[in-house]
Amino acid sequence: MELTGKDRLLADYLLGRLPEEEQLRLEAAYLADPEAQEELVALEAELIDAYVRGELGPVERQGLEAGLLASPRGRARLDFARSWAHRGERTPRPAGASVDRSRPPFWRRLPLLAGTRLAAAAAGLTLALGLTALSWRYAWEPRPPDVAPEGRSEEPGGPAPGAGAGSPPPSPDASTGGGGGPAQGGRPPRREHWNELYAGNVRGGGEPAEVRIPRGSPAALLKLNLDVDNHPSYAVALTGTGWVEKGLRSRRTRTGSALFVRVPAALLEAGAEYTLVLSPGREPARPIRAYAFTVRE
Amino acid sequence: MSPTDTGKASPRPGRRKESVLTGPCLDGLLAALDADRDVAGQKYETLRKGVTRFFEWRGSRFPEDHADETIDRVARKLSEGASVRNIHAYVAGVARFVWKELGRAPGEAWRGAGELPRELPAAQPRPHDPRLECVDRCLEALDAEGRELIMAYYEDEKRDKIERRRRLAERLGLAPGTLRMRAHRLRARLEECVRECVQRLPE
């Protein structure tokens, strides 16, 4: 969550991250000043919204859960924030609400872009680069352990070998970095450990799956098992980090189908808990499954 | 049971004992807040609200009870002749003491976390959320200007939020701080409206 100056200080206080001396100073100030209290309460909303949108890091998230969200008023604010976020994603704005739309969220920009010639040209270029890169990557990248010999062929051209392994073509986009670039071209295939994840680990009441990242590995290798596989492509987002991987295609496995995702290890802290949110590739704003996991020490 | 229910501060932890804030105790506290009794009354309200927030921000399930316990203790000390130079700093110190007595040292993990479903970002697919009807209804109840402002201010875009809000403040001719407080007050109204609306919904 982006905060600067005084907001950062106040947020740190609300998250229980200020040194005690600073806390005391702030407390003496806001106990005397209704406006200071109101500023803090206003910032609560920002933090709760960020929490609901998965923009907080694990430490911030835990701080908020341990503090404000454990109080009755915090829980009530969380309920509201969820509904507010839900409403923003599912329903049109009411008539008369002419808001500043100069820069809509990225998922809302996608259809707009898709209609432009520029986007068509960019898509063509990306596809060409992608196919080239995929063929290059196939020279060194191992296949996931239990991938069936042939992939799905729902999309034009069908999946290239290695596609859908969660590792998109090399791209300058930082969001895809760390997943293992093609720098080691020519290396012979080797077996890798793919961590199995199933949707609903959290909501189903069970414990999140444990993910192991071998020492020195640039990425966590995650196999997202699909109970229903009816989209030509998918997008996944890692909560609290802003990391998104798009254009994933499912692969047949011995037990059904799955997505193979490489999450940069640099984004993951040992012992922390994360959720990968899965959306259809064509509707990235519509989450359909969630895969929770913790990173093993 | 919440951690705040397991403290050692009172026979019924988490719930305050009978207040001693009457007569001389109350007078002493008000005098410490301001020489003018009316002003002191306002400052007392601010203080009590602030102490309640103090406990809320630490995850208390009974923040008002703990606030009253804190203020009672301060008032008692003052009536016993304690010399206090900065009453607000003193109250903050006593509040911390009360909190520690309740068994929740600052920074300690929330042991009641199991009660709260782990949050998923964006929205989990939910078939029907009756609260949404309330949100819509309450939004419609705002005037057009307020509705526009709150929707623009809290638009769920994380990138460029600061810049977007700066532009919004510029467009509305407001200082950024003023815009924030205005949006916050509108949101508080909206939240209250939704809370009341939800209570009226059939089970």
Side-chain angles (χ1 to χ4, degrees), chain B residues 36-87:
Chain B
D36 182 318
R37 198 169 168 89
D38 288 342
V39 176
Q42 291 165 12
K43 288 187 175 177
Y44 171 80
E45 287 306 319
T46 298
L47 178 70
R48 187 173 179 281
K49 200 181 245 184
V51 180
T52 305
R53 298 279 182 255
F54 170 96
F55 287 108
E56 281 175 347
W57 290 326
R58 280 163 176 75
S60 166
R61 299 179 80 179
F62 305 105
E64 294 192 337
D65 290 350
H66 300 148
D68 288 344
E69 170 73 22
T70 301
I71 291 172
D72 279 0
R73 288 192 193 190
V74 171
R76 204 179 301 128
K77 283 285 177 194
L78 289 173
S79 73
E80 289 167 6
S83 168
V84 174
R85 272 195 301 179
N86 179 339
I87 183 69

Tab-separated table of all heavy atoms in Angstrom, chain B residues 36-87:
chain	number	residue	atom	x	y	z
B	36	ASP	N	-12.237	25.927	32.485
B	36	ASP	CA	-13.641	26.190	32.143
B	36	ASP	C	-14.397	24.864	32.119
B	36	ASP	O	-14.047	23.960	31.348
B	36	ASP	CB	-13.690	26.876	30.775
B	36	ASP	CG	-15.113	27.232	30.363
B	36	ASP	OD1	-16.019	26.384	30.572
B	36	ASP	OD2	-15.324	28.340	29.844
B	37	ARG	N	-15.425	24.760	32.916
B	37	ARG	CA	-16.083	23.457	33.062
B	37	ARG	C	-16.772	23.006	31.764
B	37	ARG	O	-16.800	21.809	31.456
B	37	ARG	CB	-17.097	23.521	34.210
B	37	ARG	CG	-17.484	22.142	34.712
B	37	ARG	CD	-18.276	22.227	36.002
B	37	ARG	NE	-18.879	20.943	36.331
B	37	ARG	CZ	-18.297	19.999	37.051
B	37	ARG	NH1	-17.073	20.184	37.506
B	37	ARG	NH2	-18.921	18.865	37.316
B	38	ASP	N	-17.316	23.940	31.013
B	38	ASP	CA	-17.964	23.553	29.748
B	38	ASP	C	-16.923	23.026	28.753
B	38	ASP	O	-17.135	22.001	28.091
B	38	ASP	CB	-18.697	24.757	29.131
B	38	ASP	CG	-19.952	25.102	29.922
B	38	ASP	OD1	-20.415	24.221	30.686
B	38	ASP	OD2	-20.445	26.238	29.803
B	39	VAL	N	-15.841	23.765	28.673
B	39	VAL	CA	-14.757	23.320	27.766
B	39	VAL	C	-14.223	21.972	28.255
B	39	VAL	O	-13.950	21.063	27.463
B	39	VAL	CB	-13.618	24.376	27.715
B	39	VAL	CG1	-12.463	23.871	26.867
B	39	VAL	CG2	-14.139	25.693	27.164
B	40	ALA	N	-14.103	21.860	29.570
B	40	ALA	CA	-13.595	20.606	30.144
B	40	ALA	C	-14.521	19.435	29.778
B	40	ALA	O	-14.059	18.326	29.499
B	40	ALA	CB	-13.476	20.736	31.651
B	41	GLY	N	-15.824	19.721	29.766
B	41	GLY	CA	-16.785	18.670	29.387
B	41	GLY	C	-16.549	18.200	27.957
B	41	GLY	O	-16.574	16.997	27.667
B	42	GLN	N	-16.295	19.162	27.070
B	42	GLN	CA	-16.021	18.787	25.665
B	42	GLN	C	-14.713	17.988	25.569
B	42	GLN	O	-14.623	17.001	24.837
B	42	GLN	CB	-15.928	20.041	24.803
B	42	GLN	CG	-17.260	20.763	24.621
B	42	GLN	CD	-17.081	22.179	24.072
B	42	GLN	OE1	-16.004	22.545	23.628
B	42	GLN	NE2	-18.152	22.956	24.118
B	43	LYS	N	-13.735	18.445	26.335
B	43	LYS	CA	-12.443	17.752	26.291
B	43	LYS	C	-12.564	16.345	26.875
B	43	LYS	O	-11.864	15.418	26.441
B	43	LYS	CB	-11.381	18.569	27.043
B	43	LYS	CG	-10.976	19.824	26.305
B	43	LYS	CD	-9.825	20.525	26.981
B	43	LYS	CE	-9.369	21.722	26.152
B	43	LYS	NZ	-8.292	22.477	26.813
B	44	TYR	N	-13.436	16.220	27.841
B	44	TYR	CA	-13.658	14.895	28.416
B	44	TYR	C	-14.220	13.942	27.340
B	44	TYR	O	-13.796	12.795	27.206
B	44	TYR	CB	-14.625	14.985	29.605
B	44	TYR	CG	-15.059	13.628	30.105
B	44	TYR	CD1	-14.233	12.883	30.942
B	44	TYR	CD2	-16.280	13.064	29.708
B	44	TYR	CE1	-14.610	11.622	31.370
B	44	TYR	CE2	-16.658	11.811	30.131
B	44	TYR	CZ	-15.824	11.084	30.970
B	44	TYR	OH	-16.191	9.833	31.380
B	45	GLU	N	-15.171	14.450	26.554
B	45	GLU	CA	-15.760	13.616	25.498
B	45	GLU	C	-14.703	13.205	24.477
B	45	GLU	O	-14.661	12.055	24.021
B	45	GLU	CB	-16.906	14.369	24.804
B	45	GLU	CG	-18.169	14.500	25.641
B	45	GLU	CD	-18.672	13.159	26.160
B	45	GLU	OE1	-18.643	12.162	25.399
B	45	GLU	OE2	-19.081	13.079	27.327
B	46	THR	N	-13.878	14.168	24.099
B	46	THR	CA	-12.783	13.867	23.163
B	46	THR	C	-11.852	12.821	23.756
B	46	THR	O	-11.441	11.861	23.078
B	46	THR	CB	-11.976	15.145	22.852
B	46	THR	OG1	-12.843	16.092	22.231
B	46	THR	CG2	-10.801	14.858	21.943
B	47	LEU	N	-11.537	12.997	25.027
B	47	LEU	CA	-10.626	12.069	25.698
B	47	LEU	C	-11.225	10.655	25.722
B	47	LEU	O	-10.551	9.676	25.375
B	47	LEU	CB	-10.373	12.560	27.126
B	47	LEU	CG	-9.477	11.671	27.978
B	47	LEU	CD1	-8.036	11.733	27.475
B	47	LEU	CD2	-9.525	12.101	29.455
B	48	ARG	N	-12.466	10.588	26.088
B	48	ARG	CA	-13.092	9.264	26.210
B	48	ARG	C	-13.170	8.567	24.842
B	48	ARG	O	-12.883	7.377	24.715
B	48	ARG	CB	-14.488	9.380	26.816
B	48	ARG	CG	-15.098	8.027	27.109
B	48	ARG	CD	-16.403	8.132	27.867
B	48	ARG	NE	-16.942	6.798	28.093
B	48	ARG	CZ	-17.587	6.100	27.184
B	48	ARG	NH1	-17.789	6.606	25.975
B	48	ARG	NH2	-18.038	4.890	27.452
B	49	LYS	N	-13.528	9.339	23.839
B	49	LYS	CA	-13.585	8.773	22.486
B	49	LYS	C	-12.199	8.286	22.056
B	49	LYS	O	-12.042	7.219	21.481
B	49	LYS	CB	-14.107	9.829	21.508
B	49	LYS	CG	-14.663	9.242	20.229
B	49	LYS	CD	-15.142	10.340	19.310
B	49	LYS	CE	-16.638	10.264	19.111
B	49	LYS	NZ	-17.128	11.263	18.154
B	50	GLY	N	-11.205	9.108	22.365
B	50	GLY	CA	-9.824	8.753	21.997
B	50	GLY	C	-9.349	7.495	22.706
B	50	GLY	O	-8.692	6.637	22.098
B	51	VAL	N	-9.691	7.372	23.976
B	51	VAL	CA	-9.254	6.182	24.711
B	51	VAL	C	-9.993	4.939	24.177
B	51	VAL	O	-9.420	3.853	24.070
B	51	VAL	CB	-9.481	6.347	26.239
B	51	VAL	CG1	-9.024	5.107	26.977
B	51	VAL	CG2	-8.729	7.553	26.749
B	52	THR	N	-11.244	5.145	23.798
B	52	THR	CA	-11.991	4.030	23.192
B	52	THR	C	-11.298	3.571	21.909
B	52	THR	O	-11.115	2.381	21.665
B	52	THR	CB	-13.446	4.460	22.893
B	52	THR	OG1	-14.031	4.945	24.093
B	52	THR	CG2	-14.264	3.302	22.356
B	53	ARG	N	-10.905	4.539	21.092
B	53	ARG	CA	-10.175	4.202	19.856
B	53	ARG	C	-8.867	3.476	20.180
B	53	ARG	O	-8.475	2.539	19.499
B	53	ARG	CB	-9.845	5.479	19.061
B	53	ARG	CG	-11.057	6.256	18.590
B	53	ARG	CD	-11.651	5.671	17.329
B	53	ARG	NE	-12.770	6.450	16.875
B	53	ARG	CZ	-14.055	6.108	16.996
B	53	ARG	NH1	-14.380	4.979	17.578
B	53	ARG	NH2	-15.016	6.878	16.539
B	54	PHE	N	-8.183	3.980	21.206
B	54	PHE	CA	-6.923	3.356	21.628
B	54	PHE	C	-7.124	1.839	21.791
B	54	PHE	O	-6.325	1.028	21.314
B	54	PHE	CB	-6.470	3.988	22.954
B	54	PHE	CG	-5.326	3.301	23.631
B	54	PHE	CD1	-4.024	3.739	23.467
B	54	PHE	CD2	-5.536	2.190	24.457
B	54	PHE	CE1	-2.957	3.101	24.102
B	54	PHE	CE2	-4.489	1.540	25.090
B	54	PHE	CZ	-3.189	1.993	24.907
B	55	PHE	N	-8.196	1.478	22.465
B	55	PHE	CA	-8.427	0.044	22.701
B	55	PHE	C	-8.916	-0.664	21.433
B	55	PHE	O	-8.587	-1.827	21.200
B	55	PHE	CB	-9.400	-0.154	23.866
B	55	PHE	CG	-8.769	0.150	25.200
B	55	PHE	CD1	-9.113	1.286	25.912
B	55	PHE	CD2	-7.785	-0.683	25.729
B	55	PHE	CE1	-8.516	1.579	27.131
B	55	PHE	CE2	-7.172	-0.394	26.942
B	55	PHE	CZ	-7.532	0.736	27.647
B	56	GLU	N	-9.701	0.031	20.641
B	56	GLU	CA	-10.142	-0.574	19.370
B	56	GLU	C	-8.948	-0.891	18.491
B	56	GLU	O	-8.885	-1.965	17.880
B	56	GLU	CB	-11.064	0.392	18.622
B	56	GLU	CG	-12.470	0.412	19.155
B	56	GLU	CD	-13.323	1.460	18.477
B	56	GLU	OE1	-12.774	2.331	17.777
B	56	GLU	OE2	-14.533	1.426	18.659
B	57	TRP	N	-8.009	0.021	18.424
B	57	TRP	CA	-6.861	-0.189	17.533
B	57	TRP	C	-5.952	-1.299	18.032
B	57	TRP	O	-5.049	-1.739	17.328
B	57	TRP	CB	-6.096	1.131	17.343
B	57	TRP	CG	-6.891	2.112	16.528
B	57	TRP	CD1	-7.737	1.801	15.510
B	57	TRP	CD2	-6.943	3.527	16.669
B	57	TRP	NE1	-8.318	2.944	15.011
B	57	TRP	CE2	-7.846	4.023	15.699
B	57	TRP	CE3	-6.327	4.446	17.518
B	57	TRP	CZ2	-8.142	5.375	15.545
B	57	TRP	CZ3	-6.614	5.799	17.365
B	57	TRP	CH2	-7.512	6.254	16.395
B	58	ARG	N	-6.201	-1.728	19.239
B	58	ARG	CA	-5.456	-2.889	19.752
B	58	ARG	C	-6.292	-4.159	19.705
B	58	ARG	O	-5.871	-5.204	20.183
B	58	ARG	CB	-4.986	-2.593	21.172
B	58	ARG	CG	-3.755	-1.732	21.185
B	58	ARG	CD	-3.509	-1.091	22.524
B	58	ARG	NE	-2.251	-0.360	22.499
B	58	ARG	CZ	-2.079	0.810	21.892
B	58	ARG	NH1	-3.074	1.368	21.255
B	58	ARG	NH2	-0.906	1.398	21.903
B	59	GLY	N	-7.478	-4.046	19.182
B	59	GLY	CA	-8.293	-5.248	19.005
B	59	GLY	C	-9.186	-5.592	20.173
B	59	GLY	O	-9.646	-6.728	20.281
B	60	SER	N	-9.465	-4.623	21.019
B	60	SER	CA	-10.325	-4.903	22.174
B	60	SER	C	-11.760	-5.190	21.728
B	60	SER	O	-12.276	-4.543	20.823
B	60	SER	CB	-10.333	-3.702	23.113
B	60	SER	OG	-11.384	-3.831	24.045
B	61	ARG	N	-12.364	-6.122	22.395
B	61	ARG	CA	-13.771	-6.407	22.092
B	61	ARG	C	-14.696	-5.550	22.950
B	61	ARG	O	-15.886	-5.490	22.708
B	61	ARG	CB	-14.055	-7.885	22.323
B	61	ARG	CG	-13.203	-8.757	21.418
B	61	ARG	CD	-13.455	-10.206	21.666
B	61	ARG	NE	-14.677	-10.639	20.984
B	61	ARG	CZ	-15.124	-11.869	21.022
B	61	ARG	NH1	-14.491	-12.788	21.701
B	61	ARG	NH2	-16.215	-12.207	20.375
B	62	PHE	N	-14.136	-4.956	23.977
B	62	PHE	CA	-14.946	-4.089	24.843
B	62	PHE	C	-14.243	-2.746	25.027
B	62	PHE	O	-13.899	-2.362	26.144
B	62	PHE	CB	-15.159	-4.764	26.207
B	62	PHE	CG	-15.750	-6.134	26.098
B	62	PHE	CD1	-14.959	-7.248	26.304
B	62	PHE	CD2	-17.083	-6.305	25.775
B	62	PHE	CE1	-15.492	-8.519	26.195
B	62	PHE	CE2	-17.619	-7.571	25.661
B	62	PHE	CZ	-16.823	-8.689	25.860
B	63	PRO	N	-14.014	-2.055	23.947
B	63	PRO	CA	-13.197	-0.836	24.041
B	63	PRO	C	-13.789	0.225	24.955
B	63	PRO	O	-13.049	0.926	25.655
B	63	PRO	CB	-13.122	-0.347	22.590
B	63	PRO	CG	-14.258	-1.006	21.887
B	63	PRO	CD	-14.493	-2.298	22.583
B	64	GLU	N	-15.092	0.339	24.970
B	64	GLU	CA	-15.693	1.390	25.797
B	64	GLU	C	-15.541	1.059	27.272
B	64	GLU	O	-15.278	1.941	28.098
B	64	GLU	CB	-17.158	1.562	25.419
B	64	GLU	CG	-17.296	2.094	23.997
B	64	GLU	CD	-18.689	2.551	23.676
B	64	GLU	OE1	-19.623	2.066	24.348
B	64	GLU	OE2	-18.842	3.372	22.759
B	65	ASP	N	-15.688	-0.203	27.594
B	65	ASP	CA	-15.503	-0.609	28.993
B	65	ASP	C	-14.074	-0.322	29.445
B	65	ASP	O	-13.844	0.167	30.547
B	65	ASP	CB	-15.789	-2.107	29.152
B	65	ASP	CG	-17.271	-2.405	28.980
B	65	ASP	OD1	-18.065	-1.452	28.941
B	65	ASP	OD2	-17.628	-3.582	28.872
B	66	HIS	N	-13.141	-0.651	28.564
B	66	HIS	CA	-11.743	-0.433	28.935
B	66	HIS	C	-11.412	1.056	29.010
B	66	HIS	O	-10.603	1.474	29.832
B	66	HIS	CB	-10.812	-1.126	27.943
B	66	HIS	CG	-11.031	-2.602	27.883
B	66	HIS	ND1	-10.852	-3.348	26.759
B	66	HIS	CD2	-11.449	-3.468	28.834
B	66	HIS	CE1	-11.143	-4.603	27.009
B	66	HIS	NE2	-11.506	-4.706	28.256
B	67	ALA	N	-12.069	1.830	28.154
B	67	ALA	CA	-11.866	3.283	28.210
B	67	ALA	C	-12.374	3.822	29.540
B	67	ALA	O	-11.702	4.633	30.200
B	67	ALA	CB	-12.589	3.952	27.045
B	68	ASP	N	-13.530	3.359	29.952
B	68	ASP	CA	-14.083	3.834	31.227
B	68	ASP	C	-13.205	3.400	32.395
B	68	ASP	O	-12.984	4.170	33.336
B	68	ASP	CB	-15.510	3.301	31.406
B	68	ASP	CG	-16.490	4.001	30.459
B	68	ASP	OD1	-16.132	5.069	29.921
B	68	ASP	OD2	-17.593	3.478	30.247
B	69	GLU	N	-12.701	2.182	32.312
B	69	GLU	CA	-11.807	1.688	33.372
B	69	GLU	C	-10.564	2.585	33.456
B	69	GLU	O	-10.117	2.972	34.538
B	69	GLU	CB	-11.402	0.247	33.056
B	69	GLU	CG	-10.300	-0.339	33.924
B	69	GLU	CD	-10.781	-0.669	35.336
B	69	GLU	OE1	-12.001	-0.844	35.506
B	69	GLU	OE2	-9.942	-0.728	36.238
B	70	THR	N	-10.033	2.930	32.305
B	70	THR	CA	-8.846	3.789	32.260
B	70	THR	C	-9.128	5.156	32.882
B	70	THR	O	-8.366	5.648	33.729
B	70	THR	CB	-8.393	3.982	30.793
B	70	THR	OG1	-8.109	2.701	30.239
B	70	THR	CG2	-7.171	4.864	30.690
B	71	ILE	N	-10.231	5.725	32.454
B	71	ILE	CA	-10.543	7.078	32.928
B	71	ILE	C	-10.866	7.063	34.423
B	71	ILE	O	-10.477	7.974	35.168
B	71	ILE	CB	-11.679	7.673	32.067
B	71	ILE	CG1	-11.136	7.941	30.653
B	71	ILE	CG2	-12.213	8.955	32.682
B	71	ILE	CD1	-12.171	8.358	29.644
B	72	ASP	N	-11.516	6.026	34.861
B	72	ASP	CA	-11.776	5.890	36.303
B	72	ASP	C	-10.473	5.885	37.094
B	72	ASP	O	-10.347	6.538	38.126
B	72	ASP	CB	-12.513	4.573	36.585
B	72	ASP	CG	-14.011	4.698	36.318
B	72	ASP	OD1	-14.451	5.797	35.913
B	72	ASP	OD2	-14.720	3.697	36.501
B	73	ARG	N	-9.520	5.123	36.596
B	73	ARG	CA	-8.247	5.018	37.315
B	73	ARG	C	-7.534	6.371	37.368
B	73	ARG	O	-6.974	6.746	38.390
B	73	ARG	CB	-7.323	4.003	36.649
B	73	ARG	CG	-7.774	2.584	36.856
B	73	ARG	CD	-6.679	1.634	36.435
B	73	ARG	NE	-7.187	0.277	36.337
B	73	ARG	CZ	-6.432	-0.784	36.169
B	73	ARG	NH1	-5.121	-0.643	36.065
B	73	ARG	NH2	-6.966	-1.985	36.091
B	74	VAL	N	-7.573	7.056	36.251
B	74	VAL	CA	-6.927	8.378	36.199
B	74	VAL	C	-7.623	9.316	37.186
B	74	VAL	O	-6.968	10.019	37.978
B	74	VAL	CB	-6.984	8.956	34.778
B	74	VAL	CG1	-6.517	10.403	34.752
B	74	VAL	CG2	-6.125	8.116	33.834
B	75	ALA	N	-8.935	9.316	37.142
B	75	ALA	CA	-9.688	10.205	38.033
B	75	ALA	C	-9.401	9.872	39.491
B	75	ALA	O	-9.244	10.779	40.331
B	75	ALA	CB	-11.181	10.071	37.732
B	76	ARG	N	-9.295	8.591	39.793
B	76	ARG	CA	-9.030	8.172	41.166
B	76	ARG	C	-7.649	8.680	41.613
B	76	ARG	O	-7.489	9.196	42.704
B	76	ARG	CB	-9.107	6.646	41.252
B	76	ARG	CG	-9.415	6.155	42.669
B	76	ARG	CD	-9.498	4.635	42.727
B	76	ARG	NE	-10.517	4.088	41.845
B	76	ARG	CZ	-10.295	3.131	40.949
B	76	ARG	NH1	-9.085	2.636	40.781
B	76	ARG	NH2	-11.276	2.675	40.213
B	77	LYS	N	-6.682	8.523	40.721
B	77	LYS	CA	-5.327	8.976	41.044
B	77	LYS	C	-5.308	10.487	41.292
B	77	LYS	O	-4.653	10.970	42.215
B	77	LYS	CB	-4.359	8.639	39.894
B	77	LYS	CG	-3.957	7.185	39.869
B	77	LYS	CD	-2.958	6.903	40.970
B	77	LYS	CE	-2.581	5.424	41.014
B	77	LYS	NZ	-1.869	5.091	42.275
B	78	LEU	N	-6.030	11.190	40.439
B	78	LEU	CA	-6.057	12.653	40.594
B	78	LEU	C	-6.697	13.030	41.929
B	78	LEU	O	-6.227	13.931	42.633
B	78	LEU	CB	-6.838	13.292	39.439
B	78	LEU	CG	-6.161	13.253	38.068
B	78	LEU	CD1	-7.116	13.757	36.984
B	78	LEU	CD2	-4.891	14.103	38.054
B	79	SER	N	-7.761	12.312	42.286
B	79	SER	CA	-8.441	12.637	43.554
B	79	SER	C	-7.572	12.282	44.750
B	79	SER	O	-7.749	12.815	45.839
B	79	SER	CB	-9.787	11.922	43.636
B	79	SER	OG	-9.575	10.555	43.879
B	80	GLU	N	-6.608	11.390	44.525
B	80	GLU	CA	-5.687	11.016	45.609
B	80	GLU	C	-4.497	11.977	45.677
B	80	GLU	O	-3.581	11.780	46.461
B	80	GLU	CB	-5.180	9.584	45.393
B	80	GLU	CG	-6.261	8.524	45.649
B	80	GLU	CD	-5.861	7.142	45.131
B	80	GLU	OE1	-4.722	6.982	44.683
B	80	GLU	OE2	-6.726	6.242	45.170
B	81	GLY	N	-4.504	12.959	44.800
B	81	GLY	CA	-3.470	13.993	44.847
B	81	GLY	C	-2.303	13.775	43.926
B	81	GLY	O	-1.262	14.433	44.079
B	82	ALA	N	-2.439	12.868	42.961
B	82	ALA	CA	-1.334	12.639	42.019
B	82	ALA	C	-1.043	13.924	41.242
B	82	ALA	O	-1.970	14.639	40.844
B	82	ALA	CB	-1.696	11.519	41.063
B	83	SER	N	0.223	14.188	41.047
B	83	SER	CA	0.610	15.381	40.307
B	83	SER	C	0.850	14.996	38.849
B	83	SER	O	1.721	14.183	38.554
B	83	SER	CB	1.886	15.963	40.926
B	83	SER	OG	2.427	16.931	40.071
B	84	VAL	N	0.071	15.574	37.970
B	84	VAL	CA	0.141	15.192	36.552
B	84	VAL	C	0.429	16.432	35.711
B	84	VAL	O	-0.320	17.400	35.766
B	84	VAL	CB	-1.195	14.548	36.114
B	84	VAL	CG1	-1.188	14.275	34.621
B	84	VAL	CG2	-1.459	13.280	36.888
B	85	ARG	N	1.509	16.371	34.955
B	85	ARG	CA	1.866	17.550	34.154
B	85	ARG	C	1.128	17.551	32.816
B	85	ARG	O	0.646	18.561	32.364
B	85	ARG	CB	3.381	17.565	33.901
B	85	ARG	CG	4.119	18.283	35.018
B	85	ARG	CD	5.521	18.614	34.603
B	85	ARG	NE	6.279	17.406	34.246
B	85	ARG	CZ	7.519	17.418	33.833
B	85	ARG	NH1	8.149	18.556	33.661
B	85	ARG	NH2	8.152	16.315	33.556
B	86	ASN	N	1.091	16.376	32.168
B	86	ASN	CA	0.403	16.285	30.872
B	86	ASN	C	-0.675	15.216	31.012
B	86	ASN	O	-0.397	14.022	30.994
B	86	ASN	CB	1.407	15.904	29.777
B	86	ASN	CG	0.751	15.779	28.409
B	86	ASN	OD1	-0.466	15.589	28.304
B	86	ASN	ND2	1.555	15.870	27.361
B	87	ILE	N	-1.895	15.674	31.174
B	87	ILE	CA	-2.987	14.747	31.475
B	87	ILE	C	-3.193	13.723	30.356
B	87	ILE	O	-3.471	12.552	30.608
B	87	ILE	CB	-4.310	15.516	31.788
B	87	ILE	CG1	-5.443	14.548	32.189
B	87	ILE	CG2	-4.756	16.346	30.597
B	87	ILE	CD1	-5.249	13.898	33.511
